[in-house]
Amino acid sequence: MIKNYDNWIKKSCLKINNIYNELDDLDQKIGDGDHGTTILKGLTKAQKVFKENIKKPLDEIMLIVSKEMRIVMGGSSGILMSIFFYESGKINPDNISLSIVTIFQNTVNKIKKTGKVSIGDKSILDVYVPVLDYLNTSIKIDKNLESINKIITNSSESTINMEAKVGRAKFLEKKGLGIIDPGAYSTSIILKEFFNSIYK
């Protein structure tokens, strides 16, 4: 599982590195304009920290990874984006599918509580909740990577038509309508790489 997670973080970092300018441009329209740069910084740090601690148990590694991501990213994005990384360390190799349901449930609960956000508010939660709903109805997802990736894509793109109720975008005249949420977009990439690394 260590190798799977190492692969997940490396590929996520690579994918974000290819589009971080696009994410910054999106965030410039509805936020601070630095989401791509910030998430790339977090993933770059995660990759380095993972390698440095690779001989430790996975839960310990991911605890360190999440802490370092929060520090280097800063702000609410660092706190919220690192939640999944911390929870993912609790995966059970003997029952991967069931433990992933718990991981996503805990992530959703913590994002709601910490970010004071609800489904439909135009945030990363709008990706996590549909994925959790799918996991709860289809435990054996190892044979349905295409389905889970489609749900992740559709969930991310659904934020285009949402009005922002959190973050700086809520103060805009059209509240970010017509623009995909940058956090949802980057989260979709990270989650796709997670499932692809775990089940391939």
Side-chain angles (χ1 to χ4, degrees):
M1 194 56 68
I2 295 283
K3 185 177 180 181
N4 299 76
Y5 271 55
D6 188 33
N7 187 54
W8 162 41
I9 294 173
K10 283 179 180 176
K11 287 196 171 181
S12 294
C13 191
L14 182 62
K15 288 282 180 71
I16 294 295
N17 185 55
N18 290 336
I19 64 156
Y20 78 93
N21 285 322
E22 181 185 350
L23 289 168
D24 280 349
D25 289 343
L26 285 170
D27 197 36
Q28 225 167 20
K29 297 173 183 176
I30 63 172
D32 296 327
D34 63 352
H35 179 73
T37 303
T38 300
I39 190 64
L40 178 59
K41 195 182 296 183
L43 287 170
T44 301
K45 185 68 172 180
Q47 190 174 340
K48 181 175 182 291
V49 170
F50 196 99
K51 185 177 180 180
E52 291 171 347
N53 294 276
I54 202 162
K55 293 185 178 180
K56 294 179 180 178
L58 184 60
D59 59 339
E60 289 184 26
I61 299 174
M62 296 313 293
L63 172 61
I64 298 168
V65 164
S66 65
K67 282 183 177 179
E68 292 298 324
M69 285 182 74
R70 282 200 304 275
I71 293 169
V72 77
M73 290 175 69
S76 59
S77 64
I79 295 169
L80 296 175
M81 297 293 284
S82 67
I83 289 173
F84 179 73
F85 285 82
Y86 169 69
E87 292 297 332
S88 72
K90 301 173 185 177
I91 196 166
N92 180 359
D94 296 323
N95 198 336
I96 292 175
S97 295
L98 189 59
S99 64
I100 285 177
V101 173
T102 303
I103 287 167
F104 272 82
Q105 185 64 70
N106 290 341
T107 299
V108 165
N109 291 343
K110 287 188 176 182
I111 290 173
K112 284 181 177 179
K113 183 177 180 180
T114 306
K116 294 179 173 59
V117 62
S118 302
I119 185 75
D121 284 352
K122 198 181 183 86
S123 75
I124 63 174
L125 192 65
D126 294 302
V127 179
Y128 281 106
V129 170
V131 173
L132 175 60
D133 289 343
Y134 175 77
L135 295 177
N136 277 322
T137 58
S138 180
I139 298 298
K140 295 182 179 179
I141 61 170
D142 53 314
K143 295 180 181 178
N144 294 290
L145 271 175
E146 186 176 342
S147 296
I148 193 69
N149 284 331
K150 187 175 181 180
I151 287 168
I152 292 170
T153 297
N154 291 344
S155 300
S156 173
E157 291 178 351
S158 73
T159 63
I160 293 171
N161 299 316
M162 293 178 183
E163 286 190 3
K165 297 176 185 175
V166 292
R168 291 187 64 181
K170 70 179 179 181
F171 299 111
L172 299 176
E173 185 178 348
K174 293 185 179 180
K175 299 185 184 297
L177 275 173
I179 301 169
I180 192 170
D181 180 69
Y185 188 8
S186 61
T187 295
S188 71
I189 292 168
I190 291 167
L191 293 187
K192 283 179 183 177
E193 292 306 326
F194 173 76
F195 284 106
N196 289 340
S197 296
I198 295 299
Y199 287 110
K200 276 188 177 178

